[in-house]
Amino acid sequence: MSDVVRPVVDRDVCVGSANCVRLAPGVFSLVEGQGHADPGGSADGDLMRQAADECPVSAIEW
Amino acid sequence: MSTALEALDLLAPDAIADPYTFLAGTRSRPGLSWSSRHKAWVATRHADVTALLRDPRFTANRVGTYLEKHGDSPEARAAATFYRVAQEWMSLKEGPDHGRLRSLVQAAFSPRVVKNMGGLVVELSDGFVDTFPVGEPFDLLQRFAFPLPATVIAGMLGVPVEDRDQFKEWSQGLSALVFAASDVEGRHESAARATEELSAYVADLIAQREVDPRDDLISHLIEAGSRQDRLTHLEIVAHAILLLFAGHETTTNLICNSVVALLANPAAAEALRSGEADAGRAVEELLRYDSPAKTVIRIALEDVEVAGTQVAEGDRVLLLQSAANRDPAVFADPDVLDLTRANAGAHTAFGSGPHYCLGAPLARLEARLALPILLRRTRGLTLAGDLEWQPNLLTRGLERLEVTITDLKESSDE
C-alpha cells in the first residue's frame, strides 16, 4: 500500500521552468505560465521527490 | 507612436558603459517601442519582460529565424559551422524537443545535487585567492572569476581542467555571436573557427568516454543517447559545448560585476564580509543590480498584441533585463544596492519560464560562497584600472578586472 503524496507549488517562488511538468505531466501542469499540482497528488513518492529535488528554485513542497 | 526610442542604440558606447542610466527614461513609454537600429521591438518594464519570457507565442529560436531570412548571406555562410552546432542547443529549442534535451541534464544542476559541490567551490576559491600577488595590480577575472566556474563546470562535464585556458579562448570566439556583438569585425569567422576546434576537441572526449565511461556529464549524455532519448552525435557535441560555455561565461561576469558593485558600496561589502548580510540574499540583489544577462531575444510565432502594441509574426523583441531589474514599479529605489532588499529575487537575471537558467542553482552557489571568501581573505581590495565592458547586446561583462590588494589573509585565519 502506498501513500499518496500531494505536492504544492509555491506560486510566489515558481518561475515556470516546467521541470516538474516534464517529469510528471499527470500531476503537474502550467497554468498561465505557473506550475500547478493536481490536488489529487500521486502515489509515486519517488517521482514526487524527484520533482521537488529538480525544481531549480525549490518551489515544490508537501 | 514611438519616436525617441527609434534611434535607441543598445551598442552605443554610453549604453555599453552604463545601461541603467541609458535606459532610465524608457520604462515610462507606453507599450513596446520600436528600435530601427536593432530592427526589433524593445520591452523594458519588469511586467512586460516577465510576461514575454513565459509567453508561448514567442520562440527563443533566433538562430533558426535568422537562417531562414539570411541563411545565404556571406556572414551566415562564414559562420555555418557555428550555426550548425548552435541550432541544436536546447536554449534555442521549443516544445517537446526542448523538453527532451533539458530533461537529460536538469537533474545534474538541481539544487540538491549542486549543494554537494559547496566544499569544492570553497576549496577552489581559497586556492585561487592564495595565488593573488600583494601590492601589485592583477586581473581578478583571470585569477579568480574565470577559473572558479570554469574548473567546476569542466569537472562536471569531464573536461580535463588543464585545458581550461584553451576553452576560454574558444569561448571568446563563440561569445561574439552568442551574445550578439553586432559591431565586432570578423566575428563570424572567429566563431566558426572556435566552434570547429571545440567540436573536434569535444568529439575526441566523447570517443574516449564511449570506451571508458565515467561519472561525468559527457558520459551521461552518451549513455542517454543510446537509450530511448536518442541523442544524435551532433546533439551530444553541441550540448557539451553549450554547457562548457554557459557553465562559466555568465558566472565569471556575475562575480566580476558583483565585485565592482561592492567596491563602489563599501558598507555593503563590509556587511557581506562580516556575515551581517546573508550571502544568499546578497547574491540575489547583486544579480538584480548588475546582472550578467542584459537582454533576451524572442521572436513572435504569430501576430500578437503585447502591452497594447501590435507585434507581427516574425518580429523580434528585445527583452531588456537590465531595464526590468531597475523598474521602480517593482523595486523601491532601484538604483541603490541594498543587500537586505526583500524582493531582490524578483529580478529577471536568470530569465523565467521554460528557458529559466538551467545552471541557476550552481551560479548562485558559486557566487554565494566565492564573494565572502574574496572579501574575508583580502585587505585593501581596490580597482586598479578603468572598467572596459564587452560591447555586446546580450551580456554584461568586463574585458578584465584589474585590482590591487594590500594584504592577504590565510584561509585558516578566519
Short mmCIF file of all heavy atoms in Angstrom, two decimals, chain B residues 269-301:
data_model
loop_
_atom_site.label_atom_id
_atom_site.label_comp_id
_atom_site.label_asym_id
_atom_site.label_seq_id
_atom_site.Cartn_x
_atom_site.Cartn_y
_atom_site.Cartn_z
N ALA B 269 29.79 45.93 1.14
CA ALA B 269 30.90 44.97 1.11
C ALA B 269 31.26 44.53 2.53
O ALA B 269 31.48 43.35 2.79
CB ALA B 269 32.12 45.60 0.43
N GLU B 270 31.26 45.48 3.45
CA GLU B 270 31.60 45.15 4.84
C GLU B 270 30.53 44.25 5.46
O GLU B 270 30.84 43.30 6.18
CB GLU B 270 31.77 46.45 5.65
CG GLU B 270 32.04 46.25 7.13
CD GLU B 270 33.20 45.30 7.44
OE1 GLU B 270 34.11 45.16 6.58
OE2 GLU B 270 33.20 44.67 8.51
N ALA B 271 29.26 44.52 5.14
CA ALA B 271 28.18 43.68 5.67
C ALA B 271 28.29 42.25 5.16
O ALA B 271 28.04 41.29 5.89
CB ALA B 271 26.82 44.28 5.29
N LEU B 272 28.70 42.10 3.90
CA LEU B 272 28.84 40.76 3.34
C LEU B 272 30.09 40.08 3.91
O LEU B 272 30.07 38.89 4.22
CB LEU B 272 28.94 40.85 1.80
CG LEU B 272 28.97 39.53 1.04
CD1 LEU B 272 27.76 38.66 1.35
CD2 LEU B 272 29.04 39.79 -0.47
N ARG B 273 31.15 40.87 4.09
CA ARG B 273 32.39 40.32 4.63
C ARG B 273 32.20 39.82 6.06
O ARG B 273 32.63 38.73 6.43
CB ARG B 273 33.50 41.38 4.62
CG ARG B 273 34.90 40.83 4.86
CD ARG B 273 35.88 41.91 5.25
NE ARG B 273 35.56 42.49 6.55
CZ ARG B 273 35.87 41.93 7.71
NH1 ARG B 273 36.53 40.79 7.75
NH2 ARG B 273 35.52 42.51 8.85
N SER B 274 31.51 40.62 6.87
CA SER B 274 31.36 40.29 8.29
C SER B 274 30.31 39.21 8.52
O SER B 274 30.25 38.64 9.61
CB SER B 274 30.97 41.54 9.07
OG SER B 274 29.66 41.94 8.69
N GLY B 275 29.51 38.94 7.52
CA GLY B 275 28.45 37.96 7.71
C GLY B 275 27.15 38.58 8.19
O GLY B 275 26.15 37.90 8.38
N GLU B 276 27.17 39.90 8.41
CA GLU B 276 25.96 40.60 8.85
C GLU B 276 24.88 40.50 7.76
O GLU B 276 23.69 40.37 8.06
CB GLU B 276 26.34 42.06 9.10
CG GLU B 276 25.25 42.91 9.69
CD GLU B 276 25.60 44.40 9.53
OE1 GLU B 276 26.79 44.75 9.69
OE2 GLU B 276 24.68 45.17 9.21
N ALA B 277 25.30 40.56 6.50
CA ALA B 277 24.35 40.37 5.39
C ALA B 277 24.35 38.91 4.98
O ALA B 277 25.40 38.29 4.86
CB ALA B 277 24.75 41.25 4.21
N ASP B 278 23.16 38.36 4.79
CA ASP B 278 23.03 36.97 4.33
C ASP B 278 23.55 36.87 2.90
O ASP B 278 23.10 37.60 2.01
CB ASP B 278 21.55 36.56 4.41
CG ASP B 278 21.35 35.17 3.84
OD1 ASP B 278 21.68 34.20 4.54
OD2 ASP B 278 20.88 35.05 2.69
N ALA B 279 24.50 35.95 2.68
CA ALA B 279 25.16 35.89 1.37
C ALA B 279 24.18 35.48 0.27
O ALA B 279 24.27 35.98 -0.86
CB ALA B 279 26.34 34.92 1.42
N GLY B 280 23.25 34.60 0.58
CA GLY B 280 22.28 34.16 -0.43
C GLY B 280 21.41 35.31 -0.90
O GLY B 280 21.20 35.52 -2.10
N ARG B 281 20.93 36.09 0.05
CA ARG B 281 20.09 37.24 -0.31
C ARG B 281 20.92 38.31 -1.02
O ARG B 281 20.45 38.95 -1.96
CB ARG B 281 19.43 37.81 0.95
CG ARG B 281 18.53 38.99 0.64
CD ARG B 281 17.79 39.48 1.86
NE ARG B 281 16.64 38.64 2.17
CZ ARG B 281 15.69 38.99 3.03
NH1 ARG B 281 15.76 40.15 3.66
NH2 ARG B 281 14.68 38.19 3.26
N ALA B 282 22.15 38.48 -0.56
CA ALA B 282 23.04 39.47 -1.19
C ALA B 282 23.25 39.14 -2.66
O ALA B 282 23.24 40.03 -3.52
CB ALA B 282 24.38 39.50 -0.45
N VAL B 283 23.43 37.86 -2.96
CA VAL B 283 23.65 37.46 -4.36
C VAL B 283 22.42 37.78 -5.22
O VAL B 283 22.55 38.22 -6.37
CB VAL B 283 24.04 35.97 -4.45
CG1 VAL B 283 23.96 35.46 -5.89
CG2 VAL B 283 25.45 35.77 -3.90
N GLU B 284 21.23 37.61 -4.65
CA GLU B 284 20.02 37.98 -5.41
C GLU B 284 20.03 39.47 -5.75
O GLU B 284 19.69 39.87 -6.87
CB GLU B 284 18.75 37.63 -4.63
CG GLU B 284 18.55 36.15 -4.36
CD GLU B 284 18.68 35.27 -5.60
OE1 GLU B 284 18.05 35.59 -6.62
OE2 GLU B 284 19.44 34.28 -5.55
N GLU B 285 20.43 40.28 -4.78
CA GLU B 285 20.47 41.72 -5.03
C GLU B 285 21.56 42.07 -6.05
O GLU B 285 21.37 42.93 -6.91
CB GLU B 285 20.69 42.47 -3.71
CG GLU B 285 20.92 43.97 -3.85
CD GLU B 285 19.70 44.76 -4.36
OE1 GLU B 285 18.71 44.13 -4.78
OE2 GLU B 285 19.76 46.01 -4.33
N LEU B 286 22.69 41.37 -5.98
CA LEU B 286 23.77 41.62 -6.94
C LEU B 286 23.33 41.19 -8.35
O LEU B 286 23.67 41.84 -9.34
CB LEU B 286 25.04 40.91 -6.50
CG LEU B 286 25.67 41.52 -5.23
CD1 LEU B 286 26.62 40.54 -4.55
CD2 LEU B 286 26.39 42.84 -5.57
N LEU B 287 22.57 40.11 -8.43
CA LEU B 287 22.02 39.67 -9.72
C LEU B 287 21.06 40.71 -10.27
O LEU B 287 20.98 40.92 -11.48
CB LEU B 287 21.28 38.33 -9.54
CG LEU B 287 22.14 37.08 -9.47
CD1 LEU B 287 21.37 35.94 -8.80
CD2 LEU B 287 22.58 36.65 -10.86
N ARG B 288 20.31 41.33 -9.40
CA ARG B 288 19.38 42.37 -9.83
C ARG B 288 20.13 43.64 -10.21
O ARG B 288 19.86 44.25 -11.26
CB ARG B 288 18.39 42.71 -8.69
CG ARG B 288 17.36 43.78 -9.07
CD ARG B 288 16.68 44.39 -7.86
NE ARG B 288 17.57 45.30 -7.13
CZ ARG B 288 17.80 46.57 -7.47
NH1 ARG B 288 17.23 47.09 -8.54
NH2 ARG B 288 18.63 47.32 -6.76
N TYR B 289 21.08 44.04 -9.39
CA TYR B 289 21.73 45.34 -9.51
C TYR B 289 22.57 45.45 -10.78
O TYR B 289 22.57 46.45 -11.46
CB TYR B 289 22.59 45.57 -8.26
CG TYR B 289 23.22 46.95 -8.22
CD1 TYR B 289 22.46 48.05 -7.85
CD2 TYR B 289 24.56 47.12 -8.54
CE1 TYR B 289 23.03 49.31 -7.81
CE2 TYR B 289 25.14 48.38 -8.50
CZ TYR B 289 24.36 49.47 -8.14
OH TYR B 289 24.93 50.72 -8.10
N ASP B 290 23.33 44.40 -11.08
CA ASP B 290 24.15 44.44 -12.30
C ASP B 290 24.26 43.04 -12.88
O ASP B 290 25.30 42.39 -12.83
CB ASP B 290 25.53 45.02 -12.01
CG ASP B 290 26.20 45.57 -13.27
OD1 ASP B 290 25.56 45.55 -14.35
OD2 ASP B 290 27.35 46.02 -13.19
N SER B 291 23.15 42.59 -13.45
CA SER B 291 23.04 41.22 -13.94
C SER B 291 23.98 40.96 -15.11
O SER B 291 24.11 41.80 -16.00
CB SER B 291 21.59 40.97 -14.38
OG SER B 291 21.53 39.84 -15.23
N PRO B 292 24.61 39.79 -15.15
CA PRO B 292 25.42 39.44 -16.32
C PRO B 292 24.58 39.25 -17.57
O PRO B 292 25.10 39.30 -18.68
CB PRO B 292 26.10 38.13 -15.94
CG PRO B 292 25.57 37.74 -14.63
CD PRO B 292 24.62 38.76 -14.11
N ALA B 293 23.29 39.03 -17.41
CA ALA B 293 22.40 38.89 -18.56
C ALA B 293 21.66 40.21 -18.75
O ALA B 293 20.94 40.66 -17.87
CB ALA B 293 21.40 37.77 -18.32
N LYS B 294 21.87 40.85 -19.89
CA LYS B 294 21.27 42.16 -20.15
C LYS B 294 19.98 42.06 -20.95
O LYS B 294 19.03 42.79 -20.73
CB LYS B 294 22.26 43.00 -20.99
CG LYS B 294 23.16 43.88 -20.19
CD LYS B 294 23.87 44.94 -21.02
CE LYS B 294 24.45 44.50 -22.33
NZ LYS B 294 25.52 45.41 -22.81
N THR B 295 20.00 41.18 -21.94
CA THR B 295 18.91 41.14 -22.92
C THR B 295 18.63 39.70 -23.33
O THR B 295 19.56 38.91 -23.48
CB THR B 295 19.31 41.93 -24.19
OG1 THR B 295 19.69 43.25 -23.82
CG2 THR B 295 18.17 41.98 -25.20
N VAL B 296 17.35 39.40 -23.52
CA VAL B 296 16.94 38.12 -24.10
C VAL B 296 16.20 38.45 -25.40
O VAL B 296 15.46 39.42 -25.46
CB VAL B 296 16.00 37.36 -23.14
CG1 VAL B 296 15.35 36.18 -23.85
CG2 VAL B 296 16.75 36.88 -21.91
N ILE B 297 16.43 37.64 -26.44
CA ILE B 297 15.73 37.87 -27.71
C ILE B 297 14.63 36.82 -27.88
O ILE B 297 14.86 35.63 -27.66
CB ILE B 297 16.71 37.77 -28.89
CG1 ILE B 297 17.84 38.81 -28.74
CG2 ILE B 297 15.97 37.98 -30.22
CD1 ILE B 297 18.92 38.71 -29.81
N ARG B 298 13.44 37.28 -28.24
CA ARG B 298 12.34 36.37 -28.57
C ARG B 298 11.77 36.77 -29.92
O ARG B 298 11.84 37.93 -30.31
CB ARG B 298 11.24 36.44 -27.51
CG ARG B 298 11.60 35.81 -26.17
CD ARG B 298 11.65 34.30 -26.27
NE ARG B 298 11.86 33.65 -24.98
CZ ARG B 298 13.05 33.30 -24.51
NH1 ARG B 298 14.13 33.57 -25.20
NH2 ARG B 298 13.16 32.71 -23.34
N ILE B 299 11.19 35.81 -30.62
CA ILE B 299 10.60 36.08 -31.93
C ILE B 299 9.14 35.63 -31.91
O ILE B 299 8.83 34.52 -31.45
CB ILE B 299 11.39 35.37 -33.04
CG1 ILE B 299 12.79 36.00 -33.13
CG2 ILE B 299 10.69 35.47 -34.38
CD1 ILE B 299 13.89 35.02 -33.09
N ALA B 300 8.26 36.51 -32.41
CA ALA B 300 6.83 36.21 -32.40
C ALA B 300 6.52 35.10 -33.39
O ALA B 300 6.93 35.15 -34.56
CB ALA B 300 6.02 37.46 -32.73
N LEU B 301 5.78 34.08 -32.93
CA LEU B 301 5.38 32.97 -33.80
C LEU B 301 4.09 33.27 -34.53
O LEU B 301 3.69 32.56 -35.44
CB LEU B 301 5.21 31.70 -32.96
CG LEU B 301 6.50 31.10 -32.39
CD1 LEU B 301 6.18 30.05 -31.34
CD2 LEU B 301 7.35 30.50 -33.50
#
